[in-house]
Amino acid sequence: MGQITLSGVTKRFGDVEVIPPLDLQIGDGEFVVFVGPSGCGKSTLLRLIAGLEDTSAGHISIDGRDATGLPPAKRGLAMVFQSYALYPHMTVRKNIAFPLRMAGMDKAEQDRRVEAAAKVLNLSSYLDRRPGQLSGGQRQRVAIGRAIVREPAAFLFDEPLSNLDAALRVGMRMEISELHEKLRTTMIYVTHDQVEAMTMADKIVVLNAGRIEQVGSPLELYRAPRNTFVAGFIGSPKMNLVTGPEAARFDAHTIGIRPEHIGVHPTMGDWRGVVGVSEHLGSDTFFHVHDTGLAPMMTVRAGGEVGLTHGDTVFLTPDATKIHRFDQNGIRL
Amino acid sequence: MGQITLSGVTKRFGDVEVIPPLDLQIGDGEFVVFVGPSGCGKSTLLRLIAGLEDTSAGHISIDGRDATGLPPAKRGLAMVFQSYALYPHMTVRKNIAFPLRMAGMDKAEQDRRVEAAAKVLNLSSYLDRRPGQLSGGQRQRVAIGRAIVREPAAFLFDEPLSNLDAALRVGMRMEISELHEKLRTTMIYVTHDQVEAMTMADKIVVLNAGRIEQVGSPLELYRAPRNTFVAGFIGSPKMNLVTGPEAARFDAHTIGIRPEHIGVHPTMGDWRGVVGVSEHLGSDTFFHVHDTGLAPMMTVRAGGEVGLTHGDTVFLTPDATKIHRFDQNGIRL
Amino acid sequence: MSTQASRSAARLMLSPAVLLLLVWMIVPLALTLWFSVQRYNLLTPDRSGFVWFANYAAFVTSPAFWLAILNTLLLVGGVLLITVTGGILIALLIDQPLWGQGVVRILVISPFFIMPPVAALIWKNMFFNPSNGLFAEALRGIGLAPFDFLGQAPLASIIVIVAWQWLPFATLILLTALQSLDSERLEAAEMDGANPWNRFRFIMLPHLARAITVVVLIQTIFLLGILVEILVTTNGGPGSESTTLTFLVYKEAILDSDVGTAAAGGVVAVILANIVAIFLMRAIGKNLDA
Amino acid sequence: MARAVSTQRKAVNTALAWGVALLIAFPILWTFLTSFKPEPQAVASPPVWFGFDWTVRNYVDVQRQRDYFDYFWNSVVLALGSTALGLVIAIPAAWSMAFVPGAKTKDLLMWMLSTKMMPGVAVLVPIYLVFVWLGLLDTRIGLVVVLMLINLPIIVWMLYTYFREIPGEILEAARMDGASLGREILYVLTPMAIPGIASTVLLNIILAWNEAFWTIVLTTTNAAPLTKFISGFSSPQGLFYAKLSAASTMAIAPILIMGWFSQKQLVRGLTFGAVK
Amino acid sequence: AQETTTITIATVNNGDMVRMQGLTDAFNEAHPDIELEWVTLEENTLRQNVTTDIATNGGQYDVITIGTYEVPIWGNQGWLAPLDDLPAEYDVDDLLPPIRAGLSVDGTLYAAPFYGESSFVMYRRDLAEAAGIAIPDQPTWEDIKAAAAAMNNPETGVHGICLRGKAGWGENMAFLTTMANSYGARWFDENWQPQLDSREWKAAITDYLELMTSYGPPGASSNGFNENLTLFQQGRCGMWIDATVAGSFVTDPNNSTVAEQVGFALAPDAGQGKRANWLWAWSLAVPASSDAPEAAKTFIAWATSKEYANLVAETEGWANVPPGTRTSLYENADYLAAAPFAQMTIDSINAADPNSPTVQPVPYTGVQFVAIPEFQGLGTTVGQEFSAALAGQKTVDEALASAQEIATQTMTEAGYIQQ
Ligand SMILES: Nc1ncnc2c1ncn2[C@@H]1O[C@H](COP(=O)(O)OP(=O)(O)OP(=O)(O)O)[C@@H](O)[C@H]1O
Ligand SMILES: Nc1ncnc2c1ncn2[C@@H]1O[C@H](COP(=O)(O)OP(=O)(O)OP(=O)(O)O)[C@@H](O)[C@H]1O
Ligand SMILES: [Mg+2]
Ligand SMILES: [Mg+2]
């Protein structure tokens, strides 16, 4: 239950090919995150799977059955939209029961399922409110509730947290992860926030302009990005990419080194530079180091509090074991 | 130029006292951030300074001159709104020139100043577009441009980044900081995002229900929060607060310890617990540890990648020098 | 939302409305076109036959034709001018804090509910009448001679009546638009040193552009067809002073019972109305794009 | 701008706004007042304001001449009937235009509106002939259809602008939840658009109630609404201001009262997409 | 029970018709099998609706109210059912001969007169007395002019004379055509050539404008019968030349402030042998398209009968009986006593001759109109010209010139004038 296979799936809007032919396997029970910059086709891909858009070519099969031509309701999938898409005129109870009602389920069974879902999501005391009377996080949970009751083969989430504020986002992220632990249903989750991708996914699919750049577990992507695009996309702050003689020293066209893999010392080290803006978060400090001759700016993370300020000279030393090497096409060597 | 003093400033909406009498000194050229939970009165305070709201009592002086009764335009301040409040029917050029035009400045001088501002903000190539044709970050910059051209005594920002997505937010944060470095004009910046507060401010003002909880530099607040409110508000993830016998051991009602100040070991340490959700960011890993008997959940940060998973038993050891102690009123001891 | 299935469903669901309107347009139009090349007078049914474009020629050369076009434009333009400016002013006024806002709004909106014949009758008899009308009384009250509004300024009087009927509509739409103006934008302008006039001129007025477009568009459609108000008050006169294109067609159709010429006139009127409409769309339609 | 507005300023606003509002509504108020005057006092010079011999004679006279309720009832049936029929046809059309827009959607809308630009008088004889052929003269159903067709473009436009504000995601959610197209419209779209539909309905009732060309031409007795009622009072012999006022009051009162009570609804929806 | 037949009656909204609606109980008692449905409209709307319906064979109406203008035209057209089988007790021969002539085509009656009227002069005896003048029973236009000048006193709100000025073939043109007739003018010569540019027309219109601009009320160009009636009832007019039916209104103390002061005189002349009085009858007819002609005729026979007159007299008094249709009414002493204007009315009616309305010969019938279908439109358009002249927007010459042009164009298009 919950295996999804895309083979040669293509989507064109008019003349524009938004998704070139694409193959992807999603295993039962996996938590797959589609990640990529804005406009790269994440939502489109999700909607193709949901059946809200027709594929221009290729096949989608769900649990081995060809679902390419099926209408959305017949695919056995549930979707949680970015805007939640709750029915504002129905109570929470009715919202959650709506798919059951549409399926013609009898009233008692509807109620039973709604109560169960509400319990899982801590919504029991809000069942008679309308969406308008709920906070953002609660709305989010109602949307999830509506998806859960149908016991779908897979959940589809389209940036479900992007409308929440930072604090709530962290909480909801956790709740969705816990839900996945509990239900073990396949989940496909779209985001452009790489922290979400890293913390939630079993498997991350990095998309760029409709093409898959890399598929793998978060740590695989962190440790071994297949190309500079993935390298730049995964990890925060961004990996420093260096070209030129210093890269050539490592036998590569480009080398990448993450801010957390660079040591900082006031007097000695490999590369010399000048401190620009520094961001003190208390727990960590990020320095922007200029004039290293490597790249316009190098970002460096120093644990805790460090006594360096704007204009100071520093020396940087990369952890040689953590250097990523790329050829002139940006492909990992 | 740019000294702002509030003395006994009070604001009531009808019977509700949103800001109880409040005193605050803002020095020339400072970057002051007002931070606090939603609804605590940050915007109101900013609007009082701007003159967009009347004070119910108290005085505001700008550069030593009493400005309490002055209309907004006369205070020499510029404001950047959360919604940007750009004029949608005017080009970027006209938007930026608007305050100059209103001041009756001659056309040539207007153009000169607009070009200069556009250069600073990297907007030169968009000057003839309308706001609707710009991305969020560009709009933000136009709004700032409109503020800059007036060469105000101080800038007021009301959550200028909250409409942007995470990636852009980081970039714009930096740009504003750099702008401040460059112009050295007083800036008052409202946010409820503590990362923004920490990274941008010279001085943070933590507000809670209209009262100032603490004023100080970011690191002062991080190191020595005056009470549990500030302690919980500053730092990410949140400080772990522990009450009960373990706190009493430290002679306090409550003790606080930040996730980054707790050591993790699979077999030995002070406190024993079970690993719940863990978030692997690559650079760091955050564990939620349950069943410690201290608090429902303790958050712990471990550098890099750690081989612990859900259900494992761990031992936690706090860095004793980094423990914060609070009395029963939540005040720092 | 664009699966093949939903697109065909959309076509299906659109079709009743489109077909009905098509029939509603085509059938009378076809008959009208047919009649317009026939000699067809209701009162002389025996004199009939195909006359080519004689009816068009008769209509276009009738002495009142050009005046009627001018009057139509004046009527539409005049009413639009009054309702839009009046609507903006009133909207600005009642958007301010004031006591009894609800009642004020009810009073302002009221003329919109009045059926055209009643509106025309009220104005004609109780206000414009030079002997018994209130205006005459008022003029007499301040020692002036009563003015014969419908005789001396027939078109202007009709414009007043029609503008009175449509003022609430314009006011309401403009008021809603005004209230949708983001207050931060006004505050920004205030911070930028704009005085109230400049805030109106540079911020509010451009914001209202779209609403004004809609008001102009909808009202034009209704105003081009104004008939009852003229019929009741001036009957197109004196002379042809208040004869509009629609009224001219009415005169042919009803007074002369000349269906042929009326049909020709109708076709001419439709063509002219569409020219006005196209002109309107071109000139201001871009405001309508979302 | 939440700065306190001085009481003085508010008083000035109030006075001004009331002045303007009373001026605008004055013809109606005056008509109402006149309807209670004896005929000679209705044309008295100088005009009498309140100090006249209040009487309901005019209403009695009017009612004696013509049974108001027949006309009233027809007006109600025509207004409601054409509105209901219009909604049934317009909601699916507006759904299509709003949620499955094509390149030609705007043009289609403009074309629909353009059908309103045909002067009624020009097609009077053709339509009359069609009605004769179909035996629809003086029938409510015939008038209901005509009024519906006249107002259909406006209904479609209003609904369209309203529907466009409803996020498509909600309808997609319903689709994912297994709702068929019909149920999607019935259970999700329509209830969500209630405010818009309500104001569309109100506007359409007003337009249908006040339509004064076809309702006069195509009816005689059975289907004759209040427009026909009033057209019999326009210039009888002798003094008639008071009776005319009474008849006018009777003709406009129902819709005026409905309008007053629902003005919030009406105003909220009356934007035609003029407000983004 | 019997089958009931429903007949739809289209009427104008004037007092006598409205009164008839109030009295239909009597008809229903006598004819329980006939149910009456009323459509009461303002004159122009009525004419428009009825014309459309009849011409398209719509069959909406069973009884229609039309005037002496329409009857001959429509009768000719075959649109009306002939009323040649009225019962004996109806007494067709009792109808006033000029009226009957006006409602017949080739001797066949096509409509039954409900009330008939001519026009005459109504004046304020009190004002005339105060001004020291007397208006003869058979005045000339010179008399009228002198009286208007004498009675005119705008400061006190009294205007010397009120005349129709509102455009319309049945409004200002009805009056102006009769005035022109008395000046020796005519619409057309024997070859249907329009004569509006003639000396006689110019004289008539010039005098009309002089009267109105010097002694008339303000805004006269929008005054029709009703407006003038209101003015006269309020005591604002010294004189008023208009329909004889007005006699009962201006002498009705309930509505008229000058009821006791009204004097009557025949319409004026200019010494040419024709007086400026018209002839009109609102009549009831049955359209050929009616599906209940028998019931309709039954109703008409009732509504225009002597019994109906008696019924009105019983319930509303003799003064309110529809005037101007039957000889017998004018032989009734009760009526003559109740209606001070009765004699003047019958004299006026009898003085009108629809078949020879003008000094010079004409090819048409009709006194204040030309009984051809085109006259409705033509008369109204020409009326607009004179109305404009009255409003001061045109000179007499301009108005007459464009009237002539319009008339020539109309008559040419309609085929009367062969080129
Ligand atoms: N209906 C449509 N017609 C034409 N182009 C479309 C349509 N929907 C999407 N696109 C285009 O397809 C591309 C992918 O869009 P999509 O919404 O899938 O991006 P996304 O990755 O979800 O972006 P975001 O992170 O901003 O949501 C974009 O370039 C977009 O402009
Ligand atoms: N015009 C007003 N009338 C009444 N109460 C108001 C008004 N404006 C703000 N308030 C109240 O004042 C309090 C402070 O509001 P304010 O907007 O300053 O909060 P904030 O700190 O900016 O919150 P947020 O982070 O959500 O923007 C809130 O409780 C709010 O409800
Ligand atoms: Mg997307
Ligand atoms: Mg705020």
Side-chain angles (χ1 to χ4, degrees), chain B residues 47 72-73 77 79 81 83 85-89 98-99 101-102 146 150, chain C residues 182 184-185 187-195 198 201-203 206-207:
Chain B
R47 293 163 57 81
L77 308 174
M79 184 149 170
F81 291 84
S83 64
L86 299 182
Y87 312 127
H89 53 286
F98 189 73
R101 192 163 154 214
M102 289 299 108
R146 206 170 54 186
R150 299 177 51 200
Chain C
D182 179 11
E184 280 196 352
R185 208 178 290 154
E187 291 180 343
E190 203 180 346
M191 294 288 296
D192 285 347
N195 59 30
N198 281 334
R201 163 77 188 74
F202 293 109
I203 311 299
H207 176 76

Side-chain angles (χ1 to χ4, degrees), chain E residues 293-333:
Chain E
E294 289 315 314
K297 283 179 196 168
T298 309
F299 172 76
I300 291 177
W302 173 79
T304 60
S305 66
K306 293 180 198 164
E307 292 76 49
Y308 176 75
N310 291 330
L311 179 64
V312 176
E314 267 169 44
T315 53
E316 318 255 340
W318 277 105
N320 289 317
V321 170
T325 61
R326 285 177 175 271
T327 316
S328 54
L329 185 66
Y330 291 89
E331 291 161 356
N332 183 321

Side-chain angles (χ1 to χ4, degrees), chain C residues 112-115, chain D residues 72 79 202 205-210 226 250-262:
Chain C
F112 189 57
F113 304 121
I114 309 302
M115 49 182 73
Chain D
F72 167 78
L202 289 171
I205 288 177
I206 293 166
L207 291 177
W209 188 279
N210 290 338
L226 286 169
M250 290 162 88
I252 61 180
I255 203 76
L256 199 58
I257 291 168
M258 184 207 80
W260 285 347
F261 277 104
S262 56

Side-chain angles (χ1 to χ4, degrees), chain B:
Chain B
M1 285 286 294
Q3 237 172 356
I4 297 173
T5 310
L6 312 188
S7 38
V9 166
T10 312
K11 180 68 190 179
R12 278 182 294 271
F13 287 115
D15 290 342
V16 190
E17 193 170 65
V18 172
I19 310 260
L22 176 149
D23 298 295
L24 184 67
Q25 279 272 0
I26 293 169
D28 185 19
E30 273 188 334
F31 197 117
V32 177
V33 173
F34 292 170
V35 73
S38 188
C40 70
K42 305 180 293 294
S43 297
T44 306
L45 193 54
L46 200 71
R47 293 163 57 81
L48 287 172
I49 296 173
L52 293 170
E53 303 271 1
D54 292 325
T55 53
S56 305
H59 288 279
I60 298 173
S61 76
I62 299 174
D63 288 330
R65 227 156 31 101
D66 183 12
T68 317
L70 283 183
K74 296 273 158 65
R75 300 193 180 195
L77 308 174
M79 184 149 170
V80 175
F81 291 84
Q82 178 167 5
S83 64
Y84 317 145
L86 299 182
Y87 312 127
H89 53 286
M90 300 184 193
T91 58
V92 168
R93 184 190 304 280
K94 291 225 171 120
N95 261 284
I96 297 180
F98 189 73
L100 308 179
R101 192 163 154 214
M102 289 299 108
M105 187 176 285
D106 78 65
K107 198 78 191 56
E109 174 68 6
Q110 280 183 30
D111 282 348
R112 212 190 46 70
R113 290 230 213 163
V114 171
E115 301 284 349
K119 205 161 193 181
V120 171
L121 294 163
N122 264 325
L123 282 171
S124 303
S125 41
Y126 306 111
L127 278 177
D128 293 315
R129 293 215 196 153
R130 302 244 168 141
Q133 300 164 313
L134 298 179
S135 74
Q138 288 163 343
R139 283 182 214 185
Q140 183 57 61
R141 285 201 288 253
V142 176
I144 295 175
R146 206 170 54 186
I148 292 180
V149 280
R150 299 177 51 200
E151 298 174 356
F155 291 100
L156 312 177
F157 292 89
D158 192 356
E159 309 206 18
L161 305 182
S162 63
N163 281 346
L164 302 180
D165 75 18
L168 247 177
R169 206 141 46 191
V170 174
M172 285 305 301
R173 196 161 88 196
M174 221 85 86
E175 289 187 26
I176 294 176
S177 289
E178 274 164 19
L179 194 71
H180 183 243
E181 298 279 298
K182 217 178 289 177
L183 302 177
R184 283 281 150 211
T185 312
T186 310
M187 291 190 174
I188 305 179
Y189 187 104
V190 163
T191 180
H192 59 243
D193 182 304
Q194 61 102 358
V195 177
E196 275 176 33
M198 292 296 285
T199 55
M200 301 175 84
D202 292 329
K203 182 154 106 187
I204 293 180
V205 178
V206 182
L207 289 168
N208 186 20
R211 275 191 322 281
I212 295 181
E213 295 281 349
Q214 188 167 2
V215 178
S217 76
L219 290 183
E220 275 165 30
L221 301 193
Y222 178 80
R223 286 187 207 133
R226 190 190 289 166
N227 53 35
T228 47
F229 179 82
V230 177
F233 203 83
I234 299 290
S236 165
K238 268 194 176 136
M239 182 186 284
N240 297 297
L241 292 175
V242 176
T243 51
E246 197 61 25
R249 243 191 0 112
F250 287 89
D251 238 5
H253 178 263
T254 307
I255 55 168
I257 177 90
R258 298 195 184 274
E260 55 269 34
H261 299 145
I262 300 179
V264 187
H265 198 274
T267 52
M268 49 190 272
D270 288 5
W271 302 321
R272 191 195 141 140
V274 179
V275 174
V277 172
S278 49
E279 302 192 308
H280 301 271
L281 288 173
S283 51
D284 297 294
T285 306
F286 294 100
F287 294 103
H288 294 191
V289 180
H290 301 276
D291 303 330
T292 51
L294 302 164
M297 182 194 77
M298 300 284 284
T299 312
V300 177
R301 159 168 150 182
E305 303 144 22
V306 180
L308 289 168
T309 57
H310 203 274
D312 289 357
T313 300
V314 283
F315 290 85
L316 309 179
T317 312
D319 176 345
T321 63
K322 297 280 170 66
I323 283 180
H324 305 266
R325 297 161 54 244
F326 303 97
D327 69 13
Q328 63 270 49
N329 296 319
I331 306 297
R332 184 183 194 82
L333 292 168

Side-chain angles (χ1 to χ4, degrees), chain E residues 152-166:
Chain E
N152 192 42
N153 192 356
E155 284 76 50
T156 60
V158 175
H159 307 284
I161 187 164
C162 297
L163 295 173
R164 293 185 181 188
K166 181 188 193 172

